[in-house]
Coordinates of all heavy atoms in Angstrom, one line a residue:
M1210 N 80.5 36.8 38.5 CA 79.9 38.1 38.1 C 78.5 37.8 37.7 O 78.1 36.9 37.0 CB 80.7 38.7 37.0 CG 82.1 39.1 37.4 SD 82.2 40.5 38.6 CE 82.3 41.8 37.4
I1211 N 77.6 38.8 38.0 CA 76.2 38.8 37.6 C 76.0 39.7 36.4 O 76.4 40.9 36.5 CB 75.3 39.3 38.8 CG1 75.7 38.5 40.1 CG2 73.9 39.1 38.4 CD1 75.5 37.1 40.1
A1212 N 75.5 39.2 35.4 CA 75.2 40.1 34.2 C 73.9 40.9 34.4 O 72.9 40.3 35.0 CB 75.1 39.2 32.9
L1213 N 73.9 42.1 34.1 CA 72.8 43.0 34.2 C 72.5 43.8 32.9 O 73.5 44.1 32.3 CB 73.0 44.0 35.4 CG 73.2 43.4 36.8 CD1 73.7 44.4 37.7 CD2 71.9 42.8 37.3
R1214 N 71.3 44.1 32.6 CA 71.0 44.9 31.5 C 70.1 46.1 32.0 O 69.0 45.8 32.5 CB 70.3 44.1 30.4 CG 69.7 45.0 29.3 CD 69.3 44.2 28.1 NE 70.6 43.8 27.4 CZ 70.6 43.2 26.2 NH1 69.5 42.8 25.7 NH2 71.7 42.9 25.6
F1215 N 70.6 47.3 31.8 CA 69.8 48.5 32.2 C 69.3 49.1 31.0 O 70.0 49.3 30.0 CB 70.7 49.4 33.0 CG 71.2 48.9 34.3 CD1 72.5 48.5 34.4 CD2 70.4 48.8 35.4 CE1 73.0 48.0 35.6 CE2 70.9 48.3 36.6 CZ 72.2 47.9 36.7
I1216 N 68.0 49.5 31.0 CA 67.4 50.2 29.9 C 66.9 51.5 30.3 O 66.0 51.7 31.3 CB 66.2 49.3 29.3 CG1 66.7 47.9 28.9 CG2 65.6 50.0 28.1 CD1 65.7 47.0 28.4
A1217 N 67.4 52.6 29.7 CA 67.1 54.0 30.0 C 65.7 54.3 29.5 O 65.1 53.6 28.7 CB 68.1 54.9 29.5
R1218 N 65.1 55.4 29.9 CA 63.8 55.9 29.4 C 63.8 56.0 27.9 O 62.7 55.8 27.3 CB 63.4 57.2 30.1 CG 63.1 57.1 31.6 CD 62.0 56.1 31.9 NE 60.8 56.4 31.2 CZ 59.8 55.5 31.0 NH1 59.9 54.3 31.5 NH2 58.7 55.8 30.4
D1219 N 64.9 56.4 27.3 CA 64.9 56.6 25.9 C 65.2 55.3 25.1 O 65.4 55.3 23.9 CB 65.9 57.7 25.5 CG 67.4 57.3 25.8 OD1 67.6 56.1 26.2 OD2 68.3 58.1 25.5
G1220 N 65.3 54.2 25.9 CA 65.5 52.9 25.2 C 66.9 52.5 25.1 O 67.2 51.4 24.7
T1221 N 67.8 53.4 25.5 CA 69.3 53.0 25.5 C 69.6 51.8 26.4 O 69.2 51.8 27.5 CB 70.1 54.2 25.9 OG1 69.8 55.3 25.1 CG2 71.6 53.9 25.8
V1222 N 70.2 50.8 25.8 CA 70.6 49.6 26.6 C 72.0 49.7 27.1 O 72.9 50.1 26.3 CB 70.4 48.4 25.7 CG1 70.9 47.1 26.4 CG2 68.9 48.2 25.3
H1223 N 72.2 49.4 28.3 CA 73.6 49.4 28.9 C 73.8 48.1 29.6 O 73.1 47.8 30.6 CB 73.7 50.5 29.9 CG 75.1 50.6 30.5 ND1 76.0 51.5 30.0 CD2 75.7 50.0 31.5 CE1 77.1 51.4 30.7 NE2 76.9 50.4 31.6
D1224 N 74.6 47.2 29.0 CA 74.9 45.9 29.6 C 76.1 46.1 30.6 O 77.0 46.8 30.4 CB 75.3 44.9 28.6 CG 74.1 44.5 27.8 OD1 72.9 44.4 28.4 OD2 74.2 44.2 26.6
S1225 N 76.0 45.4 31.8 CA 76.9 45.6 32.8 C 77.1 44.3 33.6 O 76.4 43.3 33.4 CB 76.4 46.7 33.7 OG 77.3 47.0 34.8
H1226 N 78.1 44.3 34.5 CA 78.3 43.2 35.4 C 78.5 43.7 36.8 O 79.0 44.8 37.0 CB 79.5 42.3 34.9 CG 79.3 41.6 33.7 ND1 79.4 42.1 32.4 CD2 78.9 40.3 33.5 CE1 79.1 41.2 31.5 NE2 78.8 40.1 32.1
A1227 N 78.1 42.9 37.8 CA 78.4 43.2 39.2 C 78.8 42.0 39.9 O 78.4 40.9 39.6 CB 77.1 43.8 39.8
V1228 N 79.5 42.2 41.0 CA 79.9 41.1 41.9 C 78.7 40.6 42.7 O 77.9 41.4 43.1 CB 81.0 41.6 42.8 CG1 81.4 40.6 43.8 CG2 82.2 42.1 42.0
E1229 N 78.6 39.3 42.8 CA 77.6 38.7 43.6 C 77.6 39.3 45.1 O 78.7 39.5 45.6 CB 77.8 37.2 43.7 CG 76.6 36.5 44.2 CD 76.7 35.0 44.0 OE1 77.5 34.5 43.2 OE2 75.9 34.2 44.6
G1230 N 76.5 39.6 45.6 CA 76.4 40.2 46.9 C 76.3 41.7 46.9 O 75.9 42.3 47.9
T1231 N 76.5 42.3 45.7 CA 76.3 43.8 45.6 C 74.8 44.0 45.5 O 74.0 43.2 45.1 CB 76.9 44.2 44.2 OG1 78.2 43.8 44.2 CG2 76.8 45.7 44.0
T1232 N 74.4 45.2 46.0 CA 72.9 45.6 45.8 C 72.7 46.0 44.4 O 73.7 46.5 43.7 CB 72.5 46.7 46.7 OG1 73.2 47.9 46.4 CG2 72.7 46.3 48.2
L1233 N 71.5 45.9 43.9 CA 71.2 46.3 42.6 C 71.4 47.8 42.5 O 71.8 48.3 41.4 CB 69.7 45.9 42.2 CG 69.2 46.4 40.9 CD1 70.1 45.8 39.7 CD2 67.8 45.9 40.7
L1234 N 71.1 48.6 43.6 CA 71.4 50.0 43.5 C 72.8 50.3 43.3 O 73.2 51.1 42.4 CB 70.9 50.6 44.9 CG 71.3 52.1 45.1 CD1 70.6 53.0 44.0 CD2 70.8 52.6 46.4
A1235 N 73.7 49.7 44.0 CA 75.2 49.9 43.9 C 75.6 49.6 42.5 O 76.4 50.3 41.8 CB 76.0 49.2 44.9
A1236 N 75.1 48.4 42.0 CA 75.5 48.0 40.6 C 75.0 49.0 39.6 O 75.7 49.3 38.6 CB 74.9 46.6 40.3
A1237 N 73.8 49.5 39.8 CA 73.2 50.5 38.8 C 74.0 51.8 38.9 O 74.3 52.4 37.8 CB 71.8 50.8 39.1
Q1238 N 74.4 52.2 40.0 CA 75.1 53.5 40.2 C 76.5 53.3 39.5 O 77.0 54.2 38.9 CB 75.2 53.9 41.6 CG 73.9 54.4 42.2 CD 73.9 54.7 43.6 OE1 74.7 54.1 44.4 NE2 73.1 55.7 44.1
A1239 N 77.1 52.1 39.7 CA 78.4 51.9 39.1 C 78.4 51.8 37.6 O 79.3 52.1 36.9 CB 79.0 50.5 39.6
A1240 N 77.2 51.6 37.1 CA 76.9 51.5 35.6 C 76.4 52.9 35.1 O 75.8 52.9 34.0 CB 76.0 50.4 35.3
D1241 N 76.5 53.9 36.0 CA 76.1 55.3 35.6 C 74.6 55.4 35.3 O 74.2 56.2 34.5 CB 76.9 55.8 34.4 CG 78.3 56.0 34.7 OD1 78.7 56.4 35.8 OD2 79.2 55.8 33.8
Q1242 N 73.8 54.6 36.0 CA 72.4 54.7 35.9 C 71.9 55.8 36.8 O 72.4 56.0 37.9 CB 71.7 53.4 36.2 CG 72.1 52.3 35.2 CD 71.8 52.7 33.8 OE1 70.6 52.9 33.4 NE2 72.8 52.7 33.0
P1243 N 70.8 56.6 36.5 CA 70.4 57.8 37.2 C 69.5 57.4 38.4 O 68.4 57.9 38.6 CB 69.6 58.6 36.2 CG 69.0 57.5 35.3 CD 70.0 56.4 35.2
L1244 N 70.1 56.7 39.4 CA 69.4 56.4 40.6 C 70.1 57.1 41.8 O 71.3 56.8 42.0 CB 69.3 54.9 40.9 CG 68.6 54.0 39.8 CD1 68.7 52.5 40.2 CD2 67.2 54.5 39.7
E1245 N 69.4 57.9 42.5 CA 70.0 58.7 43.5 C 70.3 57.8 44.7 O 71.4 57.9 45.3 CB 69.1 59.9 43.9 CG 69.1 61.0 42.9 CD 68.2 62.1 43.3 OE1 68.0 62.3 44.5 OE2 67.7 62.8 42.4
G1246 N 69.4 57.1 45.2 CA 69.6 56.3 46.4 C 69.9 57.2 47.6 O 70.9 56.9 48.4
T1247 N 69.2 58.2 47.7 CA 69.4 59.2 48.7 C 69.6 58.7 50.2 O 70.4 59.3 50.9 CB 68.3 60.3 48.7 OG1 68.1 60.7 47.3 CG2 68.6 61.5 49.5
C1248 N 68.8 57.7 50.5 CA 68.8 57.3 51.9 C 69.8 56.1 52.2 O 69.8 55.6 53.3 CB 67.4 56.9 52.4 SG 66.9 55.3 51.8
D1249 N 70.6 55.8 51.1 CA 71.6 54.7 51.3 C 71.0 53.4 51.7 O 71.6 52.6 52.5 CB 72.7 55.1 52.3 CG 73.8 55.8 51.6 OD1 74.0 55.6 50.4 OD2 74.6 56.5 52.3
G1250 N 69.8 53.1 51.3 CA 69.2 51.8 51.5 C 68.4 51.7 52.8 O 68.1 50.5 53.2
D1251 N 68.1 52.8 53.4 CA 67.3 52.7 54.6 C 65.8 52.7 54.4 O 65.0 52.8 55.3 CB 67.6 54.0 55.5 CG 68.9 53.8 56.2 OD1 69.4 52.7 56.3 OD2 69.5 54.9 56.6
M1252 N 65.4 52.6 53.1 CA 64.0 52.5 52.7 C 63.2 53.8 53.2 O 62.1 53.7 53.7 CB 63.3 51.3 53.2 CG 63.5 50.1 52.3 SD 62.4 48.8 52.6 CE 63.0 48.1 54.1
A1253 N 63.8 54.9 53.0 CA 63.2 56.2 53.4 C 63.1 57.2 52.2 O 62.7 58.3 52.5 CB 64.1 56.8 54.5
C1254 N 63.4 56.8 51.0 CA 63.4 57.8 49.9 C 62.7 57.3 48.6 O 62.1 58.1 47.9 CB 64.8 58.3 49.6 SG 65.8 57.0 48.8
A1255 N 62.8 56.1 48.3 CA 62.3 55.5 47.0 C 63.0 56.1 45.7 O 62.5 56.0 44.6 CB 60.8 55.7 46.9
T1256 N 64.1 56.8 45.9 CA 64.8 57.3 44.7 C 65.6 56.2 44.0 O 66.3 56.5 43.1 CB 65.8 58.5 45.1 OG1 66.7 58.0 46.1 CG2 65.0 59.7 45.7
C1257 N 65.5 55.0 44.5 CA 66.1 53.9 43.9 C 65.1 53.0 43.2 O 65.4 51.9 42.8 CB 66.9 53.1 44.9 SG 65.8 52.3 46.1
H1258 N 63.9 53.6 43.0 CA 62.8 52.8 42.3 C 63.2 52.4 40.9 O 63.7 53.2 40.1 CB 61.6 53.7 42.3 CG 60.5 53.2 41.5 ND1 59.6 54.0 40.7 CD2 60.0 51.9 41.2 CE1 58.7 53.2 40.1 NE2 59.0 52.0 40.4
V1259 N 63.0 51.1 40.6 CA 63.3 50.6 39.2 C 62.1 49.7 38.8 O 61.4 49.2 39.7 CB 64.6 49.8 39.2 CG1 65.8 50.7 39.3 CG2 64.6 48.6 40.2
L1260 N 62.1 49.4 37.5 CA 61.1 48.5 37.0 C 61.8 47.3 36.5 O 62.7 47.4 35.6 CB 60.3 49.2 35.8 CG 59.7 50.6 36.1 CD1 59.1 51.1 34.8 CD2 58.7 50.5 37.2
I1261 N 61.5 46.2 37.1 CA 62.1 44.9 36.7 C 61.4 44.4 35.5 O 60.1 44.4 35.4 CB 62.0 43.9 37.9 CG1 62.6 44.5 39.2 CG2 62.7 42.6 37.5 CD1 64.1 44.8 39.1
D1262 N 62.1 43.8 34.5 CA 61.5 43.2 33.4 C 60.5 42.2 33.8 O 60.8 41.3 34.7 CB 62.5 42.6 32.5 CG 61.9 42.1 31.2 OD1 61.3 41.1 31.1 OD2 62.1 42.9 30.2
P1263 N 59.2 42.2 33.3 CA 58.2 41.2 33.8 C 58.7 39.8 33.7 O 58.3 38.9 34.5 CB 57.1 41.5 32.8 CG 57.2 42.9 32.4 CD 58.7 43.1 32.4
E1264 N 59.5 39.4 32.7 CA 60.0 38.0 32.6 C 61.0 37.7 33.7 O 61.2 36.5 33.9 CB 60.6 37.8 31.2 CG 59.6 37.9 30.1 CD 60.1 37.3 28.8 OE1 61.2 36.7 28.8 OE2 59.3 37.3 27.8
D1265 N 61.6 38.6 34.3 CA 62.6 38.4 35.4 C 62.0 38.5 36.8 O 62.6 38.1 37.7 CB 63.7 39.4 35.2 CG 64.6 39.1 34.0 OD1 64.6 38.0 33.6 OD2 65.2 40.1 33.5
F1266 N 60.8 39.2 36.9 CA 60.3 39.6 38.2 C 60.2 38.4 39.2 O 60.5 38.6 40.3 CB 59.0 40.3 38.0 CG 58.5 40.9 39.3 CD1 59.1 42.1 39.7 CD2 57.4 40.4 39.9 CE1 58.6 42.7 40.9 CE2 57.0 41.0 41.1 CZ 57.6 42.1 41.6
D1267 N 59.7 37.3 38.7 CA 59.5 36.2 39.6 C 60.8 35.5 40.1 O 60.7 34.7 41.0 CB 58.6 35.1 39.0 CG 57.2 35.6 38.8 OD1 56.8 36.6 39.6 OD2 56.4 35.1 38.0
R1268 N 61.9 35.9 39.6 CA 63.2 35.4 40.1 C 63.6 36.1 41.3 O 64.5 35.7 42.0 CB 64.3 35.5 39.0 CG 64.1 34.6 37.8 CD 65.4 34.4 37.1 NE 65.6 35.4 36.1 CZ 66.9 35.8 35.8 NH1 67.9 35.3 36.4 NH2 67.0 36.8 34.9
L1269 N 63.0 37.3 41.6 CA 63.4 38.1 42.8 C 62.7 37.5 44.0 O 61.6 37.1 44.0 CB 63.0 39.5 42.6 CG 63.7 40.3 41.4 CD1 63.0 41.6 41.2 CD2 65.1 40.5 41.8
P1270 N 63.4 37.6 45.1 CA 62.7 37.4 46.4 C 61.6 38.4 46.6 O 61.7 39.5 46.1 CB 63.8 37.6 47.5 CG 65.1 37.5 46.7 CD 64.8 37.9 45.3
R1271 N 60.6 38.0 47.3 CA 59.4 38.9 47.4 C 59.9 40.2 48.2 O 60.7 40.1 49.1 CB 58.3 38.3 48.2 CG 57.6 37.2 47.4 CD 56.5 36.5 48.2 NE 55.5 37.5 48.6 CZ 54.3 37.6 47.9 NH1 54.1 36.8 46.9 NH2 53.4 38.5 48.3
A1272 N 59.2 41.3 47.9 CA 59.5 42.5 48.7 C 58.9 42.4 50.1 O 57.9 41.8 50.3 CB 58.8 43.7 47.9
S1273 N 59.6 43.0 51.0 CA 59.1 43.1 52.4 C 57.9 44.0 52.5 O 57.7 44.8 51.6 CB 60.2 43.5 53.3 OG 60.6 44.9 53.0
A1274 N 57.2 43.9 53.6 CA 56.1 44.8 53.8 C 56.6 46.3 53.8 O 55.9 47.2 53.3 CB 55.4 44.5 55.1
A1275 N 57.7 46.5 54.4 CA 58.3 47.9 54.5 C 58.6 48.4 53.1 O 58.4 49.6 52.8 CB 59.5 47.9 55.4
E1276 N 59.2 47.5 52.2 CA 59.5 47.9 50.9 C 58.2 48.2 50.1 O 58.1 49.2 49.4 CB 60.3 46.8 50.1 CG 60.6 47.3 48.7 CD 61.4 46.2 47.9 OE1 61.9 45.3 48.5 OE2 61.5 46.4 46.7
E1277 N 57.2 47.4 50.3 CA 55.9 47.7 49.6 C 55.3 49.0 50.1 O 54.8 49.8 49.2 CB 54.9 46.6 50.0 CG 55.3 45.2 49.4 CD 55.0 45.0 47.9 OE1 54.5 46.0 47.3 OE2 55.2 43.9 47.4
D1278 N 55.5 49.3 51.3 CA 54.9 50.6 51.9 C 55.7 51.8 51.2 O 55.1 52.8 50.8 CB 55.1 50.7 53.4 CG 54.1 49.8 54.1 OD1 53.2 49.3 53.5 OD2 54.3 49.6 55.3
M1279 N 57.0 51.6 51.0 CA 57.7 52.7 50.4 C 57.4 52.8 48.9 O 57.3 53.9 48.4 CB 59.2 52.5 50.6 CG 60.1 53.6 50.1 SD 59.7 55.3 50.7 CE 59.8 55.1 52.5
L1280 N 57.2 51.7 48.3 CA 56.8 51.7 46.9 C 55.5 52.4 46.7 O 55.3 53.1 45.6 CB 56.8 50.3 46.3 CG 58.2 49.7 45.9 CD1 58.0 48.2 45.7 CD2 58.8 50.4 44.8
D1281 N 54.6 52.4 47.6 CA 53.3 53.1 47.5 C 53.5 54.6 47.4 O 52.6 55.3 46.9 CB 52.5 52.8 48.8 CG 51.9 51.4 48.7 OD1 51.8 50.7 47.7 OD2 51.4 50.9 49.8
L1282 N 54.7 55.1 47.9 CA 54.9 56.5 47.8 C 55.7 56.9 46.6 O 55.9 58.1 46.3 CB 55.7 56.9 49.1 CG 55.0 56.6 50.4 CD1 56.0 57.0 51.6 CD2 53.7 57.3 50.5
A1283 N 56.2 55.9 45.8 CA 57.1 56.2 44.7 C 56.2 56.6 43.5 O 55.0 56.3 43.4 CB 57.9 55.0 44.3
Y1284 N 56.8 57.3 42.6 CA 56.1 57.9 41.4 C 56.1 56.8 40.3 O 57.1 56.1 40.1 CB 56.9 59.1 40.9 CG 56.4 59.7 39.6 CD1 55.2 60.3 39.5 CD2 57.2 59.6 38.4 CE1 54.7 60.8 38.3 CE2 56.7 60.1 37.2 CZ 55.5 60.7 37.2 OH 55.0 61.2 36.0
A1285 N 55.0 56.6 39.6 CA 54.9 55.8 38.4 C 55.3 54.3 38.7 O 56.0 53.7 37.9 CB 55.7 56.4 37.3
T1286 N 54.8 53.8 39.7 CA 55.1 52.4 40.0 C 54.2 51.5 39.1 O 53.2 51.8 38.6 CB 54.8 52.0 41.5 OG1 53.5 52.4 41.8 CG2 55.8 52.7 42.4
T1287 N 54.7 50.3 38.9 CA 54.0 49.2 38.1 C 54.0 47.9 39.0 O 54.6 47.9 40.0 CB 54.7 48.9 36.8 OG1 55.9 48.2 37.0 CG2 55.0 50.2 36.0
R1288 N 53.4 46.9 38.4 CA 53.4 45.6 39.1 C 54.8 45.1 39.3 O 55.0 44.3 40.3 CB 52.6 44.6 38.2 CG 52.3 43.3 38.9 CD 51.6 42.3 37.9 NE 52.5 42.0 36.8 CZ 53.4 41.0 36.8 NH1 53.7 40.4 38.0 NH2 54.2 40.8 35.8
T1289 N 55.8 45.5 38.5 CA 57.1 45.0 38.7 C 58.1 46.0 39.3 O 59.3 45.9 39.1 CB 57.7 44.4 37.3 OG1 57.8 45.5 36.4 CG2 56.7 43.4 36.7
S1290 N 57.6 47.0 40.0 CA 58.4 47.9 40.6 C 59.1 47.3 41.8 O 58.5 46.5 42.6 CB 57.6 49.1 41.1 OG 57.1 49.9 40.1
R1291 N 60.4 47.7 42.0 CA 61.1 47.4 43.2 C 62.0 48.5 43.6 O 62.3 49.4 42.9 CB 62.0 46.1 43.0 CG 61.2 44.8 42.8 CD 60.4 44.4 44.0 NE 61.2 44.1 45.2 CZ 61.6 43.0 45.6 NH1 61.3 41.9 44.8 NH2 62.4 42.8 46.7
L1292 N 62.5 48.4 44.9 CA 63.5 49.3 45.3 C 64.9 48.7 45.1 O 65.1 47.6 45.7 CB 63.3 49.7 46.8 CG 62.0 50.4 47.2 CD1 62.0 50.7 48.7 CD2 61.9 51.7 46.4
A1293 N 65.7 49.3 44.3 CA 67.0 48.6 44.0 C 67.9 48.4 45.2 O 68.7 47.5 45.2 CB 67.7 49.5 42.9
C1294 N 67.7 49.2 46.2 CA 68.6 49.1 47.4 C 68.2 47.8 48.2 O 69.0 47.4 49.0 CB 68.5 50.3 48.3 SG 66.9 50.5 49.1
Q1295 N 67.1 47.2 47.9 CA 66.6 46.1 48.7 C 66.9 44.8 48.0 O 66.5 43.7 48.4 CB 65.1 46.2 49.0 CG 64.8 47.4 49.8 CD 65.6 47.4 51.2 OE1 65.5 46.5 51.9 NE2 66.4 48.5 51.4
I1296 N 67.6 44.8 46.8 CA 67.8 43.6 46.0 C 69.3 43.3 46.1 O 70.1 44.1 45.6 CB 67.3 43.8 44.6 CG1 65.8 44.0 44.6 CG2 67.7 42.6 43.7 CD1 65.3 44.4 43.3
T1297 N 69.7 42.2 46.7 CA 71.0 41.8 46.7 C 71.2 40.8 45.5 O 70.5 39.8 45.3 CB 71.4 41.1 48.0 OG1 71.1 42.0 49.1 CG2 72.8 40.6 48.0
L1298 N 72.2 41.0 44.7 CA 72.5 40.2 43.5 C 73.1 38.9 43.9 O 74.1 38.8 44.6 CB 73.4 41.0 42.6 CG 72.8 42.3 42.0 CD1 73.8 43.1 41.3 CD2 71.5 42.0 41.2
T1299 N 72.4 37.9 43.4 CA 72.9 36.5 43.5 C 72.9 35.8 42.1 O 72.4 36.4 41.2 CB 71.9 35.7 44.4 OG1 70.6 35.6 43.7 CG2 71.7 36.3 45.8
A1300 N 73.5 34.6 42.1 CA 73.6 33.9 40.8 C 72.2 33.7 40.2 O 72.0 33.6 39.0 CB 74.3 32.6 41.0
A1301 N 71.2 33.6 41.1 CA 69.8 33.4 40.6 C 69.3 34.6 39.8 O 68.3 34.4 39.1 CB 68.9 33.1 41.8
L1302 N 70.0 35.7 39.9 CA 69.5 36.9 39.2 C 70.4 37.3 38.0 O 70.2 38.3 37.5 CB 69.5 38.1 40.2 CG 68.5 37.9 41.4 CD1 68.6 39.1 42.3 CD2 67.1 37.6 41.0
D1303 N 71.2 36.3 37.7 CA 72.1 36.6 36.5 C 71.2 36.9 35.3 O 70.3 36.1 35.0 CB 73.0 35.3 36.3 CG 74.0 35.6 35.2 OD1 74.7 36.7 35.2 OD2 74.2 34.7 34.3
G1304 N 71.6 37.9 34.6 CA 70.9 38.3 33.3 C 69.7 39.2 33.5 O 68.9 39.4 32.6
L1305 N 69.5 39.7 34.7 CA 68.4 40.6 35.1 C 68.3 41.8 34.2 O 69.3 42.4 33.9 CB 68.6 41.0 36.5 CG 67.3 41.6 37.3 CD1 66.3 40.4 37.5 CD2 67.8 42.1 38.6
T1306 N 67.1 42.1 33.7 CA 66.9 43.3 32.9 C 66.1 44.3 33.8 O 65.0 44.0 34.3 CB 66.1 43.0 31.6 OG1 66.9 42.2 30.8 CG2 65.8 44.3 30.9
V1307 N 66.6 45.5 33.9 CA 66.1 46.6 34.8 C 65.8 47.9 34.0 O 66.7 48.4 33.3 CB 67.1 46.8 35.9 CG1 66.5 47.9 36.9 CG2 67.4 45.5 36.6
R1308 N 64.6 48.4 34.1 CA 64.3 49.6 33.4 C 64.2 50.8 34.4 O 63.8 50.6 35.5 CB 63.0 49.5 32.6 CG 63.0 48.6 31.5 CD 61.7 48.5 30.8 NE 61.8 47.9 29.5 CZ 62.0 46.6 29.3 NH1 62.1 45.7 30.3 NH2 62.1 46.1 28.0
M1309 N 64.7 52.0 33.9 CA 64.5 53.2 34.7 C 63.1 53.7 34.5 O 62.5 53.7 33.4 CB 65.5 54.3 34.2 CG 67.0 53.9 34.3 SD 67.5 53.6 36.0 CE 67.9 51.8 35.9
P1310 N 62.4 54.0 35.6 CA 61.1 54.5 35.6 C 60.9 55.9 35.1 O 62.0 56.6 35.0 CB 60.6 54.4 37.1 CG 61.8 54.6 37.8 CD 63.0 54.0 37.0
P1311 N 59.7 56.4 34.7 CA 59.6 57.8 34.4 C 60.1 58.7 35.5 O 60.0 58.3 36.7 CB 58.0 57.9 34.2 CG 57.6 56.5 34.0 CD 58.5 55.6 34.7
G1312 N 60.6 59.8 35.1 CA 61.1 60.7 36.1 C 62.6 60.7 36.2 O 63.3 61.5 36.8
H1313 N 63.2 59.6 35.5 CA 64.7 59.5 35.5 C 65.3 60.0 34.2 O 64.7 59.7 33.2 CB 65.1 58.1 35.8 CG 65.0 57.7 37.2 ND1 65.9 58.1 38.2 CD2 64.0 57.0 37.8 CE1 65.4 57.6 39.4 NE2 64.3 57.0 39.2
Ligands
FES364 FE1 66.3 55.1 49.6 FE2 66.4 52.7 48.3 S1 68.0 54.2 48.6 S2 64.7 53.6 49.5

């Protein structure tokens, strides 16, 4: 199991676990986080935009060019923005901290 920490806009912390191989979007939705994921991972909506904790960001595989293009259209992105649907959870991501961006 992969440990995850979700932090809401109001600072509420929600610790959760997900099975390896799950997407971060599915794990977040299972943990009742407010990510719509409208396009089901087709990189067509950016409603799965999350802010990765800066200390964890370099543990993630780099975003694809297509993901970067979609992030350009997302609201309130930062240097550590990612699309949760494009992140597959592996042991290397155990303990990831993920914040909900403004607008959620
Ligand atoms: Fe639509 Fe991630 S679910 S871009």
Side-chain angles (χ1 to χ4, degrees):
M1210 294 290 268
I1211 311 296
L1213 298 166
R1214 171 165 284 183
F1215 296 104
I1216 303 178
R1218 289 306 301 163
D1219 66 1
T1221 304
V1222 174
H1223 182 98
D1224 288 327
S1225 183
H1226 289 84
V1228 175
E1229 193 168 345
T1231 306
T1232 65
L1233 180 57
L1234 173 59
Q1238 290 175 329
D1241 293 326
Q1242 298 303 299
L1244 297 181
E1245 288 181 25
T1247 309
C1248 76
D1249 269 339
D1251 285 342
M1252 275 197 286
C1254 72
T1256 60
C1257 63
H1258 170 215
V1259 291
L1260 308 176
I1261 305 297
D1262 189 282
E1264 293 200 0
D1265 292 332
F1266 188 72
D1267 289 340
R1268 290 201 278 148
L1269 294 169
R1271 290 179 64 100
S1273 66
E1276 182 180 348
E1277 295 282 4
D1278 287 348
M1279 185 51 62
L1280 281 168
D1281 284 344
L1282 303 176
Y1284 175 69
T1286 53
T1287 73
R1288 187 184 67 78
T1289 64
S1290 288
R1291 291 296 302 263
L1292 296 179
C1294 69
Q1295 298 302 304
I1296 297 170
T1297 300
L1298 296 172
T1299 64
L1302 298 180
D1303 188 43
L1305 199 67
T1306 296
V1307 181
R1308 290 180 166 75
M1309 298 300 114
H1313 285 282

